[in-house]
Amino acid sequence: MAGGGSRRWLRVLLGVFSVVLLLCGIGTAVGTWVWTRGVIDTRGEVDFVNRLAVPPLAQSRIDGQGRRVFDLRAQPGQRDFGQGGSTATWGFNGDYLGPTLRARRGEQVVVNVVNGIGRPTSVHWHGMHLPAVMDGGPHQMVRPGATWSPQWKIDQPAATLWYHPHPHGETAEQVYRGLSGMFILDDEPSAGLALPRRYGVDDIPVIVQDRKFTSDGRLDEGNSSLGGTGILGDTLLVNGTVGPYLDVSTERVRLRLLNGSNARTYDFGFADNRAFDLVGTDGGLLERPHRTGRIRLSPGERAEVVVSMRPAERVVLRSYPPNHGVEFFGGRFTGGEDTFDVLELRAAGSLAAAPEVPDRLVPVERLDPASAAQTRRFRLNGREINGRDMDLDRIDFAVTRGSTEIWDIEKQDATPHSFHVHDVQFQVLSVDGREPPPELAGWKDTVLVSTVDSLRIIARFADYADPNMPYMFHCHLLQHEDQGMMGQFVVVEPGQRPGRPPGGHGHAQHR
Ligand SMILES: [Cu+2]
């Protein structure tokens, strides 16, 4: 009897052991599958069969007061991205993205924004120096069917800016469906430089966005990112084109790169690792071109690059795995190891001559840290900044008009974050206590926070005091922003106290 009992126990034990082994096997297989699928690599796999769409320049007119007037209508659309069917989208004056607005320094502009999407929205002028009430943040909501007509004077250097919705809690979704566009500023100093400047010919907007599609071609809004960043797509759109190529007819071409993605950071370079000239960053041209083979852009950042081409050659703009400040597991599942073929440049058999990129571009005044009236700390952690999440009724601090401030930004978690400040262009003073790299030497409004240590920036708040209407500072990973990783500051006159933001959470204040 005893012998039969132990045999039974042995059988039970063996059974349990096999089940455990099987579970371990399944676990390892699933783990390996998830781990392997965590990396996207489209090198050599993209068919560049579609001519790159170039957003049209927005029509404008000069009104009786000499102001340049634009009309933008946010509207629903349908678009077939060639992914197996068509999908519902949103766009400005079209079905996806919007026209490129363009204005010169010194001009007064008016933009009539009509909300035709049936949901509250707003339109923020990313990188623009303008009064807070015109900024298009979450306090300037436009009700469905309503029109909002901000106006301001363009008063900053030539730059590649952009516009996108900024409704609190819904920015990620609205941008993902297609609401974004470029806003190019011109000025005299830049017009005098020998840089490619013919829009759509040798001066090309390159709006890069990653998207996911369902098998029947619809935009997949499911949030499957394991890394906590929101949607990371496996298909790239450039100006809304999948698999794009650009016909190049000149020896040099200027690409205005905009990372218009919700969460993904890119490290742009060319497949043959050729060097190119970085000539501009978020807020304008650099003092002198920076010769490099890579330019990393987190969501919201821009770079202007000039690349040389030889007759009849083809070269692919690629995004290499970006070091975005998150290691191992977190890095892999937030796109840190992904590689994408982005856009194929196809040179014509004979190319029109183009001058060399000038050695000197524009003077860039360095802001002096000794002139700073304040140093503030911003600790980024989870979805909070300094332990607080966004409250539309709370003004976090007031900056005195005319003052210069140093902001010290620290990342305290293992998630990628970028930091965007409204109202001003800033300069990076140091990264991890060291001099910033050349690509961070110019004017910036958004910066990847890739270090655990600190990133110091400096800005001057020269204009537009308004004690009640705040500007935003926030993470530009759109899901983080929507989840509350945002705060508000006001600019006040010397001695003035901050007031109260408009009530009703800023919704539906306009006719
Ligand atoms: Cu973030």
Side-chain angles (χ1 to χ4, degrees):
M1 286 299 285
S6 22
R7 271 200 301 278
R8 198 162 60 240
W9 275 112
L10 196 64
R11 273 202 301 276
V12 170
L13 217 61
L14 270 175
V16 169
F17 186 63
S18 323
V19 169
V20 168
L21 258 185
L22 187 69
L23 287 177
C24 283
I26 292 172
T28 309
V30 169
T32 309
W33 182 77
V34 170
W35 181 251
T36 317
R37 276 185 42 110
V39 175
I40 298 167
D41 185 348
T42 70
R43 267 175 302 178
E45 286 175 11
V46 177
D47 295 324
F48 296 104
V49 292
N50 297 308
R51 185 185 298 272
L52 176 71
V54 174
L57 283 173
Q59 301 285 318
S60 64
R61 59 187 181 276
I62 304 297
D63 72 2
Q65 298 167 56
R67 305 176 301 181
R68 184 173 295 284
V69 184
F70 297 95
D71 295 302
L72 276 186
R73 179 185 170 83
Q75 60 190 55
Q78 283 282 326
R79 162 87 61 120
D80 187 339
F81 289 98
Q83 303 295 300
S86 82
T87 183
T89 52
W90 283 340
F92 290 105
N93 303 358
D95 59 9
Y96 190 84
L97 295 178
T100 297
L101 276 57
R102 190 154 196 170
R104 275 195 332 277
R105 185 169 196 168
E107 278 189 311
Q108 289 279 347
V109 297
V110 183
V111 190
N112 297 312
V113 176
V114 179
N115 179 359
I117 62 169
R119 289 256 291 275
T121 189
S122 80
V123 178
H124 167 57
W125 318 104
H126 183 126
M128 198 76 76
H129 178 50
L130 76 182
V133 71
M134 307 296 173
D135 190 43
H139 292 285
Q140 286 85 44
M141 294 300 294
V142 191
R143 279 186 293 108
T147 300
W148 175 57
S149 298
Q151 54 166 306
W152 69 96
K153 182 182 180 186
I154 305 291
D155 189 16
Q156 64 192 94
T160 301
L161 311 184
W162 65 303
Y163 59 92
H164 61 79
H166 210 306
H168 188 44
E170 295 186 22
T171 297
E173 180 189 9
Q174 296 194 6
V175 170
Y176 192 78
R177 290 193 186 177
L179 291 172
S180 293
M182 208 171 253
F183 201 139
I184 296 176
L185 301 185
D186 301 300
D187 67 3
E188 271 180 29
S190 71
L193 292 171
L195 290 174
R197 65 180 69 261
R198 283 174 300 162
Y199 185 84
V201 178
D202 58 5
D203 183 353
I204 313 290
V206 178
I207 305 172
V208 182
Q209 300 176 304
D210 60 328
R211 293 291 183 266
K212 283 197 302 183
F213 290 94
T214 60
S215 55
D216 58 353
R218 284 174 297 120
L219 278 172
D220 184 349
E221 298 180 26
N223 176 16
S224 67
S225 157
L226 289 173
T229 60
I231 299 175
L232 284 175
D234 53 10
T235 304
L236 285 198
L237 311 186
V238 183
N239 302 341
T241 309
V242 177
Y245 68 86
L246 172 70
D247 285 322
V248 175
S249 58
T250 53
E251 289 174 350
R252 289 189 174 76
V253 62
R254 175 191 201 163
L255 305 178
R256 295 179 189 255
L257 300 167
L258 157 61
N259 182 351
S261 304
N262 283 35
R264 185 177 286 287
T265 293
Y266 303 94
D267 197 7
F268 293 109
F270 289 91
D272 62 358
N273 281 312
R274 73 181 56 193
F276 53 86
D277 287 300
L278 175 71
V279 295
T281 52
D282 302 342
L285 296 173
L286 299 175
E287 207 146 33
R288 43 183 65 226
H290 169 52
R291 191 90 179 145
T292 181
R294 296 282 188 277
I295 180 68
R296 186 180 64 182
L297 298 180
S298 67
E301 289 186 284
R302 288 87 67 208
E304 294 184 33
V305 303
V306 177
V307 57
S308 297
M309 298 287 289
R310 286 183 299 274
E313 73 169 338
R314 291 183 177 195
V315 65
V316 171
L317 176 70
R318 183 168 281 172
S319 173
Y320 289 90
N323 173 9
H324 59 4
V326 184
E327 317 243 303
F328 195 57
F329 186 89
R332 172 163 293 214
F333 294 108
T334 52
E337 296 180 30
D338 295 348
T339 309
F340 286 94
D341 277 357
V342 181
L343 167 69
E344 186 178 62
L345 304 186
R346 298 181 178 176
S350 79
L351 296 174
E356 298 248 347
V357 173
D359 284 340
R360 292 213 157 253
L361 298 169
V362 296
V364 175
E365 181 210 346
R366 302 308 307 176
L367 298 181
D368 180 8
S371 70
Q374 274 273 5
T375 298
R376 297 182 198 276
R377 272 181 84 201
F378 297 81
R379 285 167 287 118
L380 312 187
N381 198 341
R383 302 298 176 267
E384 295 180 336
I385 302 176
N386 292 337
R388 303 206 275 200
D389 64 0
M390 175 66 170
D391 178 350
L392 280 157
D393 295 323
R394 183 190 72 232
I395 290 173
D396 291 274
F397 56 89
V399 174
T400 305
R401 188 182 62 77
S403 68
T404 298
E405 297 204 352
I406 293 172
W407 290 10
D408 221 329
I409 304 148
E410 288 168 42
K411 186 160 84 79
Q412 301 189 327
D413 65 3
T415 309
H417 298 295
S418 64
F419 193 79
H420 171 48
V421 187
H422 290 211
D423 176 31
V424 290
Q425 292 288 333
F426 56 76
Q427 290 172 352
V428 177
L429 287 176
S430 66
V431 180
D432 260 343
R434 289 189 288 275
E435 281 271 299
E439 64 269 23
L440 296 181
W443 292 111
K444 296 285 295 169
D445 56 55
T446 308
V447 64
L448 177 69
V449 188
S450 64
T451 71
V452 198
D453 219 343
S454 100
L455 182 77
R456 301 198 114 199
I457 63 175
I458 186 168
R460 184 157 59 219
F461 297 82
D463 310 288
Y464 308 131
D466 183 339
N468 301 311
M469 187 57 81
Y471 293 105
M472 308 294 131
F473 57 94
H474 59 89
C475 179
H476 215 285
L477 271 69
L478 301 183
Q479 189 187 68
H480 291 183
E481 171 187 341
D482 281 344
Q483 290 173 343
M485 201 162 193
M486 178 155 65
Q488 313 191 100
F489 70 96
V490 288
V491 176
V492 296
E493 294 293 354
Q496 194 178 28
R497 305 277 306 163
R500 286 175 59 85
H505 284 162
H507 288 295
Q509 295 170 71
H510 299 273
R511 76 185 156 83

